[in-house]
Amino acid sequence: MRLHVFLARAGAGSRRAMESAILAGRVQVDGVVVQALGTRIDPARDDVRLDGQPISTLPDCRLVVAVHKPPGVITTARDPEGRPTVLDLLPPDLREIRLYPVGRLDAPSEGLVLLTNDGELAERLMHPRYGHEREYSAEVRGNPPRDLPRRFADGISIGDPRPARAEVRNLRQHRGGATLRLVLREGRYRQIRRMLTAVGVKVVTLRRLRIATVRLGALAPGAVRVLNADQCAELKAAVASPPSASAAGQA
């Protein structure tokens, strides 16, 4: 088995994160630092360590945890500046399990974040080619253009090589601003904020409501819930393969 695949399946992080860890010299196999991404190992025989910690068996229990991240909390496993992270919100029994965030949600935003020790699931949720939906609600200051749904569907420039797209499912104007629901099938850095800034409005609040089949629901800020077996199976089925070309084009 390829080393980065083993690490991901063992719950150490996503495949992409484990590739970075290998290149950074953080991984040892039988006491030797390995920095070649194509390295193959035998999970039953080789002693694999990440940052000095042994990772020699695949976990029997794969978990997915939903967290309602409040504003100001960082979506990382640890923060060198000492700011609170989503892992700090976990109860003691879940902190003992090697869970890590699936993707990011910027510090000023709030809402649904998923944590897991299932590297394969994390990879499919994060990789752009799978195009899973993420739904947000936003409150903005200023008046969005009336043709905003069309412009976002067609794609607008936010300074990246490719236009950024979003589906606007609900837009309600009110005095001084508006509230809207948006669905993304791609995830660029601060994408919604940059898209709304590009059409002349300022984001006041931004909340993530859904990732694929998992909804925030009534989960209170700072609270967590562990997905049951049926919910995990539904999520895995939803992200098992990339969407069709026609579905992807709707973004």
Side-chain angles (χ1 to χ4, degrees):
M1 182 183 296
R2 290 184 183 272
L3 179 57
H4 72 284
V5 174
F6 167 75
L7 289 166
R9 289 185 178 178
S14 69
R15 289 191 184 188
R16 195 173 301 177
M18 292 303 95
E19 289 177 347
S20 298
I22 291 168
L23 292 173
R26 296 169 52 199
V27 179
Q28 291 181 322
V29 178
D30 294 334
V32 178
V33 173
V34 174
Q35 292 181 276
L37 294 182
T39 300
R40 291 185 174 273
I41 60 128
D42 181 350
R45 299 178 58 185
D46 294 330
D47 176 30
V48 179
R49 294 175 180 257
L50 173 64
D51 296 329
Q53 299 298 314
I55 304 177
S56 54
T57 59
L58 295 176
D60 294 327
C61 182
R62 304 291 177 89
L63 293 179
V64 181
V65 178
V67 179
H68 186 158
K69 184 191 89 67
V73 173
I74 309 301
T75 314
T76 58
R78 54 184 177 272
D79 181 63
E81 299 180 24
R83 293 171 295 182
T85 75
V86 286
L87 294 188
D88 295 327
L89 301 175
L90 297 177
D93 60 326
L94 291 179
R95 292 190 192 185
E96 296 177 359
I97 303 171
R98 188 190 291 268
L99 298 171
Y100 52 91
V102 180
R104 298 289 182 93
L105 185 62
D106 63 9
S109 301
E110 67 170 300
L112 180 63
V113 171
L114 296 181
L115 307 177
T116 188
N117 59 352
D118 187 331
E120 292 289 329
L121 176 63
E123 178 70 14
R124 290 178 181 272
L125 280 169
M126 289 190 291
H127 200 292
R129 72 185 288 260
Y130 290 94
H132 65 275
E133 292 186 349
R134 281 161 291 173
E135 185 175 357
Y136 300 79
S137 67
E139 180 182 353
V140 302
R141 185 179 301 120
N143 296 314
R146 292 186 177 182
D147 62 348
L148 181 70
R150 179 192 61 78
R151 291 175 63 180
F152 274 15
D154 292 342
I156 65 169
S157 174
I158 58 173
D160 293 344
R162 295 181 295 109
R165 293 180 172 83
E167 178 185 349
V168 179
R169 292 191 173 174
N170 191 2
L171 173 60
R172 292 184 298 166
Q173 302 266 6
H174 55 75
R175 185 173 182 178
T179 57
L180 59 160
R181 292 278 188 100
L182 305 104
V183 173
L184 296 185
R185 295 182 180 88
E186 56 182 357
R188 306 187 203 176
Y189 176 70
R190 298 172 69 92
Q191 180 173 339
I192 290 178
R193 293 179 184 274
R194 293 163 67 195
M195 291 180 72
L196 290 169
T197 297
V199 296
V201 296
K202 178 179 176 59
V203 174
V204 178
T205 62
L206 181 63
R207 174 182 293 182
R208 185 154 63 195
L209 305 175
R210 178 173 61 89
I211 299 174
T213 61
V214 183
R215 295 185 178 276
L216 181 65
L219 193 64
V224 307
R225 72 169 183 266
V226 178
L227 272 61
N228 62 35
D230 289 342
Q231 292 168 331
C232 286
E234 182 183 23
L235 176 61
K236 290 179 181 181
V239 300
S241 59
S244 65
S246 59
Q250 293 174 4

